[in-house]
Amino acid sequence: MMSVETEIRFTLNGRPVSLKVPATMKTLAMLRDRLGMTGTKYACGEGECGACTIEIDGKTVNSCLMYAVDCDGREVVTIEGLRTPEGLHPVQQAFVDHGAVQCGFCMPGMIMQARNLLANNPELTREQAQRGLEGNLCRCTGYTKVLDAVEAVAGKNTCGRATP
Amino acid sequence: MSETMEAITTYLAPRRLDEALQAMADGDATVFCGGTDLAPQTESGARPYKSRLLNINRIEGLGGIAADGGEIRIGATTTVAEIRRSAALAEIAPVLVEAAEHFASEQIRNAASLGGNLCNASPAGDMSPPLLVLGASVELACWRDGAAHTRRVPLEQFFVGPGKSVKRPEELLTAVVFARPAPGFVGRFRKSGPRPALEISTVSVALGARVADGRLSEVRVAMGSVAPTPLRARHVEAALEGQPLDATTIAAAVAAAAEDAQPIDDVRASAWYRSHLVKVFVEEVLDDVRGN
Ligand SMILES: Cc1cc2nc3c(=O)[nH]c(=O)nc-3n(C[C@H](O)[C@H](O)[C@H](O)COP(=O)(O)OP(=O)(O)OC[C@H]3O[C@@H](n4cnc5c(N)ncnc54)[C@H](O)[C@@H]3O)c2cc1C
Ligand code: FES
Ligand code: FES
């Protein structure tokens, strides 16, 4: 038995989108399977790892838990939306420069969360970054270089509010 | 993703409370707010959906913190992140803010609602112990005989078992209310798990009391994850009420904790460890209050 489908409209990375989604579909599945936006990753599916982190109305959430129908009328930003005309977003560039990326699977979520923290607090301290990234698990890096990268961006004020 | 029997025939995201209550009136609606409990429960197949799926996030007036009067009111859809950031609550009820501070991750706090935390009725729900020591009540609304009806239930009487509350299927939790704590009120919250964040409480303890001349009065102590529901620790309270907060009283309160906590062994911790931890936390919160 399939659940009822509902038409929703929202802004995705600055562009209007409208589509029909089943009532129980999660935002992560909608992004990846319906919209082909595979930058946002599926790992635990239970809110534990943060790989699926996206921004909705300026706040980060785990898209694996969020009902897609609840995107209706809202602003959604995914990792694809961080790209700037010059290329990588400053947070992405800092992660590259500091060797903070290994397999990379956690990185879309990690960078979405880090960028949001920096946008809300350009003077973010290392301790604040550590707390703010508690919901993002990484099996590779040991976090030290991730924090180095975030610390390097803090104070530079290059993370002003989204949108791309 | 599991193949559960999904028989959802209607999805609704009403703007008015009346519309939501009418849609729930026959008890055949599944409500969601942040979805942080509902999504995993339904994905795993542990919980079936009812025929209507009701999104309460668009209902006007169901969120927000009203802290000006003698009665503090927190709307059901208020998120844990909003509670954590509330300057008003930090002043009036820091014990609640402290619990929000130790709640999950930022991504979860941004989605998790106060109403969802209480309606999920987990013995480990972190909003419960602080609200129990604040003497909070919940407002439950339903649609009957062509009109909305609201009843108030003290939080103490709300929980009846793991995942179970006195809320009827046709009722929506609309708000949490508590009287503005009197001057001299102090509150403390301790929660434990193997990690500081993203941890379902192995044990949690909250204390609320008035402190004057080194004595505690109007003492309320609440515990999470030590019984089928969050509970008031009556024996600990009795050991503290009216007593000078000295080493003898603290020792008596710690001993009394064993009478209130009836923990079980589960995947997260053994009953022995929980019994030990609850005593440690009772001692810690009391030492902390004494130190101030
Ligand atoms: C990774 C992870 C970590 C977590 N960590 C913690 C933690 O540290 N502490 C903690 O306490 N919890 C934790 N939780 C549990 C969960 O996030 C909270 O219980 C949260 O507050 C639930 O709110 P919600 O809005 O997401 O509820 P939902 O999932 O939307 O709803 C929960 C339940 O309540 C019902 N419901 C919701 N709102 C209402 C209402 N107003 N009236 C009637 N029924 C309603 C729903 O039908 C459902 O049964 C965690 C969950 C995850 C996935
Ligand atoms: S995939 Fe969403 S938190 Fe892990
Ligand atoms: S870089 Fe591999 S999981 Fe983080």
Side-chain angles (χ1 to χ4, degrees):
Chain A
M1 234 181 295
M2 227 11 225
S3 64
V4 64
E5 298 225 344
T6 302
E7 168 105 21
I8 57 169
R9 289 160 195 284
F10 60 99
T11 308
L12 179 58
N13 298 328
R15 283 207 292 266
V17 180
S18 76
L19 78 162
K20 275 192 155 186
V21 290
T24 60
M25 180 178 259
K26 303 306 173 300
T27 303
L28 178 61
M30 173 185 72
L31 289 169
R32 294 181 56 85
D33 304 340
R34 294 284 171 102
L35 296 169
M37 306 282 278
T38 54
T40 309
K41 300 302 179 209
Y42 177 96
C44 71
E46 296 183 342
E48 293 279 352
C49 76
C52 65
T53 301
I54 60 166
E55 213 178 83
I56 178 133
D57 289 344
K59 299 199 171 67
T60 51
V61 297
N62 298 307
S63 61
C64 67
L65 298 179
M66 184 182 173
Y67 283 79
V69 282
D70 202 27
C71 290
D72 191 38
R74 302 173 77 179
E75 280 200 30
V76 179
V77 179
T78 65
I79 189 74
E80 287 91 344
L82 294 201
R83 194 183 306 130
T84 67
E86 295 78 46
L88 292 182
H89 184 278
V91 177
Q92 292 174 312
Q93 190 59 52
F95 273 63
V96 173
D97 295 345
H98 287 80
V101 184
Q102 288 187 31
C103 83
F105 201 80
C106 69
M107 284 299 153
M110 189 75 81
I111 288 169
M112 287 303 289
Q113 181 63 17
R115 197 209 61 84
N116 185 272
L117 293 170
L118 287 159
N120 287 315
N121 179 7
E123 307 295 327
L124 195 75
T125 65
R126 196 175 176 93
E127 286 66 36
Q128 288 168 331
Q130 209 164 349
R131 277 233 61 191
L133 291 168
E134 277 169 348
N136 293 81
L137 302 186
C138 174
R139 301 186 63 170
C140 304
T141 66
Y143 306 101
T144 302
K145 292 183 174 184
V146 168
L147 294 172
D148 290 346
V150 175
E151 221 179 358
V153 184
K156 290 196 188 147
N157 213 356
T158 44
C159 292
R161 276 257 59 82
T163 335
Chain B
M1 303 199 189
S2 67
E3 285 293 317
T4 43
M5 293 282 281
E6 290 168 357
I8 298 173
T9 56
T10 317
Y11 165 73
L12 293 137
R15 294 195 177 271
R16 290 187 27 240
L17 180 61
D18 281 3
E19 290 173 65
L21 298 180
Q22 285 166 29
M24 304 172 70
D26 63 359
D28 197 16
T30 302
V31 167
F32 80 82
C33 191
T36 62
D37 279 318
L38 187 67
Q41 288 165 10
T42 48
E43 286 283 326
S44 74
R47 175 170 170 186
Y49 284 108
K50 296 182 178 180
S51 72
R52 257 165 266 126
L53 184 64
L54 182 63
N55 177 355
I56 62 170
N57 286 302
R58 303 292 185 281
I59 301 175
E60 278 153 24
L62 207 56
I65 300 166
D68 315 327
E71 183 170 270
I72 315 304
R73 184 185 176 86
I74 310 178
T77 58
T78 306
T79 63
V80 175
E82 286 163 348
I83 290 173
R84 182 179 181 229
R85 278 194 307 269
S86 164
L89 288 178
E91 171 132 7
I92 299 165
V95 64
L96 190 58
V97 176
E98 208 173 323
E101 187 74 27
H102 293 273
F103 195 108
S105 62
E106 179 155 307
Q107 291 96 319
I108 297 279
R109 288 191 296 268
N110 282 336
S113 67
L114 177 61
N117 193 251
L118 298 179
C119 290
N120 192 51
S122 162
D126 282 330
M127 294 290 102
S128 301
L131 288 171
L132 283 168
V133 304
L134 288 162
S137 294
V138 295
E139 281 189 2
L140 302 175
C142 71
W143 190 262
R144 194 169 1 97
D145 304 327
H149 296 263
T150 302
R151 62 173 176 143
R152 274 193 184 192
V153 178
L155 192 56
E156 253 178 90
Q157 292 160 25
F158 181 69
F159 304 108
V160 294
K164 295 200 169 62
S165 71
V166 300
K167 187 185 75 59
R168 296 190 295 263
E170 70 274 20
E171 285 180 315
L172 190 72
L173 192 156
T174 50
V176 174
V177 294
F178 54 90
R180 176 182 290 272
F185 176 89
V186 297
R188 291 290 186 279
F189 176 77
R190 284 282 187 293
K191 155 181 179 174
S192 123
R195 291 184 285 167
L198 266 182
E199 195 54 66
I200 307 300
S201 297
T202 309
V203 161
S204 61
V205 169
L207 166 81
R210 281 180 79 171
V211 187
D213 303 329
R215 277 174 202 273
L216 297 183
S217 61
E218 294 165 49
V219 181
R220 293 198 189 100
V221 177
M223 297 172 174
S225 302
V226 297
T229 66
L231 53 78
R232 284 274 297 275
R234 302 287 182 184
H235 293 91
V236 178
E237 292 176 0
L240 295 169
E241 185 66 38
Q243 299 297 318
L245 191 52
D246 57 20
T248 314
T249 302
I250 293 177
V254 169
E259 312 228 8
D260 289 311
Q262 313 126 35
I264 54 164
D265 290 311
D266 70 10
V267 291
R268 289 197 290 271
S270 67
W272 174 87
Y273 181 60
R274 286 198 164 97
S275 303
H276 171 69
L277 214 51
V278 84
K279 289 184 182 174
V280 172
F281 286 176
V282 167
E283 187 168 2
E284 277 183 10
V285 294
L286 291 169
D287 280 343
D288 197 17
V289 170
R290 191 184 176 198
N292 281 357

